[in-house]
């Protein structure tokens, strides 16, 4: 009888500890929350007007889920080549940057490029040139 009580107590505490640790792990933000966070970050950094923030937010809320849908298509097709996933990301990031260039003023665009987007664009161009050279 004592053993059953001790054993059940141990199981209860183990279950309680597992439940508490599962609750403490922060949830990853979904795609729309990520889009909002990125739009807010750009608004702070670039001092966007309200209309610009609206267009940035709308662009990201369209393009992020579309990029994820393309990823899911590759996963459903059981594609293991990471270069294909990178190509999908590059395609959507190029599209986002092209939209940003239409939305931002010249000063904002320059500041955006200096924040790291310029390096990312150059890296995408290198990958694209390398992929076209292989074909």
């Amino acid at each position: 009888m004592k053993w059953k009580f001790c054993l059940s107590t141990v199981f209860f505490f183990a279950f309680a500890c597992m439940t508490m640790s599962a609750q403490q792990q922060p949830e990853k933000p979904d795609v729309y929350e990520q889009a909002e966070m990125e739009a807010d970050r750009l608004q702070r950094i670039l001092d966007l007007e309200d209309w610009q923030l609206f267009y940035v937010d709308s662009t990201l809320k369209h393009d992020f889920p579309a990029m994820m849908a393309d990823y899911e298509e590759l996963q459903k097709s059981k594609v293991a080549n990471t270069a294909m996933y990178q190509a999908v990301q590059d395609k959507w990031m190029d599209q986002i940057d092209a939209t940003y260039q239409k939305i931002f003023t010249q000063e904002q665009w320059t500041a955006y490029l200096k924040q790291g987007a310029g390096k990312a664009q150059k890296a995408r161009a290198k990958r694209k040139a390398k992929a076209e050279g292989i074909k």
Side-chain angles (χ1 to χ4, degrees), residues 45-103:
I45 292 170
L46 304 176
D47 193 31
L48 300 177
E49 299 287 331
D50 289 339
W51 68 269
Q52 290 175 310
L53 179 61
F54 172 78
Y55 281 118
V56 167
D57 187 59
S58 298
T59 297
L60 294 175
K61 284 185 178 178
H62 171 267
D63 290 355
F64 280 1
M67 181 171 54
M68 297 308 289
D70 285 354
Y71 283 159
E72 289 172 9
E73 285 297 317
L74 290 175
Q75 288 174 343
K76 286 179 186 175
S77 300
K78 307 239 189 259
V79 173
N81 186 351
T82 57
M84 294 195 62
Y85 289 93
Q86 188 68 53
V88 167
Q89 181 181 5
D90 288 351
K91 174 186 90 167
W92 284 104
M93 294 309 294
D94 282 340
Q95 183 170 331
I96 289 170
D97 282 350
T99 304
Y100 282 174
Q101 194 168 13
K102 294 175 187 173
I103 297 170

